[in-house]
Amino acid sequence: MFGDMMGMMNKIKETQQKVEETKKRLDTVTLEEASSDGLLKVTITANREIKNISVADELLEDKEQLEDYLVLTLNKAITKATNVNEAELGAVAKEGMPDIPGLTDMQ
């Protein structure tokens, strides 16, 4: 029984380490999102850190339009990054879960 418990604890520690490694790797995964007309482009990491925003000159002439574009495009970029982040971290966590009787039935 204690051997099983130690094995589970080791597996949990390994999973925690893999999650941390995955988080670091996700800092290097960049995603691009653009407005429908391409006038605004956002580059974001899978950890949801904005790396770059590119604005076409014509958007600089209309403050309200630029603000609308920023909100819409940033929200799309954040959603895309969140989906990648959750999928990657979820896969690592699920892979490392120990087999605990009754736990898999709860999902």
Side-chain angles (χ1 to χ4, degrees):
M1 174 161 177
F2 289 112
D4 290 343
M5 185 66 87
M6 290 301 293
M8 282 194 296
M9 295 303 288
N10 286 337
K11 189 154 179 113
I12 290 171
K13 283 183 181 179
E14 286 176 25
T15 300
Q16 288 173 332
Q17 184 177 355
K18 286 181 181 178
V19 166
E20 290 305 313
E21 290 169 1
T22 301
K23 285 180 181 179
K24 287 179 185 173
R25 185 179 58 78
L26 290 174
D27 278 334
T28 66
V29 174
T30 57
L31 306 161
E32 303 252 340
E33 187 61 58
S35 59
S36 58
D37 56 11
L39 296 178
L40 181 80
K41 295 177 184 166
V42 174
T43 304
I44 188 170
T45 70
N47 278 330
R48 298 172 295 262
E49 181 180 341
I50 305 291
K51 290 296 189 177
N52 187 47
I53 296 176
S54 174
V55 180
D57 289 341
E58 60 194 84
L59 281 179
L60 297 176
E61 298 168 11
D62 186 343
K63 181 181 182 282
E64 282 186 35
Q65 183 182 16
L66 175 58
E67 291 170 345
D68 290 343
Y69 272 57
L70 282 167
V71 169
L72 291 171
T73 308
L74 285 169
N75 281 332
K76 287 192 323 187
I78 291 167
T79 297
K80 185 186 280 188
T82 298
N83 290 340
V84 170
N85 185 287
E86 289 176 354
E88 292 285 326
L89 291 176
V92 170
K94 186 174 182 178
E95 171 189 310
M97 286 297 293
D99 294 327
I100 300 172
L103 185 62
T104 55
D105 297 334
M106 296 170 63
Q107 295 178 354

